[in-house]
Amino acid sequence: MIDIGRGTPVVVIPGLQGRWEWMRSGVEALAEGHRAISYSLCDEPTSGFGFDASAGFDNYIRHVDTVLDRAGLERTTLVG
């Protein structure tokens, strides 16, 4: 998980590539005026987040909840 910048928080959810590092330049540009938070999807081996194959899509919902908790956020703008 990356959490950089200051201002209104924006959480950037990775797409099919699954890793926030593929969006590094965009996250860094966003951090120039916002608090930019991103992470690698839970099914990425390097993400550090658990993945339960039986949970299906709920894995990703739980993952967003975990990211928000770690960032100390109750509300944010989500970008995916």
Side-chain angles (χ1 to χ4, degrees):
M1 185 172 126
I2 184 172
D3 186 343
I4 58 175
R6 291 186 149 172
T8 304
V10 178
V11 175
V12 181
I13 300 173
L16 291 176
Q17 76 282 0
R19 297 184 64 181
W20 77 265
E21 293 89 349
W22 288 100
M23 304 178 300
R24 179 184 299 272
S25 61
V27 170
E28 289 173 347
L30 187 61
E32 291 177 15
H34 297 81
R35 179 179 174 197
I37 301 153
S38 192
Y39 57 93
S40 295
L41 297 179
C42 56
D43 58 350
E44 274 293 314
T46 61
S47 76
F49 292 93
F51 182 81
D52 175 5
S54 67
F57 187 76
D58 284 342
N59 279 293
Y60 304 104
I61 302 302
R62 292 180 195 147
H63 195 176
V64 170
D65 286 340
T66 300
V67 168
L68 295 178
D69 287 346
R70 287 187 182 182
L73 298 172
E74 290 185 24
R75 295 176 55 125
T76 190
T77 298
L78 294 175
V79 178

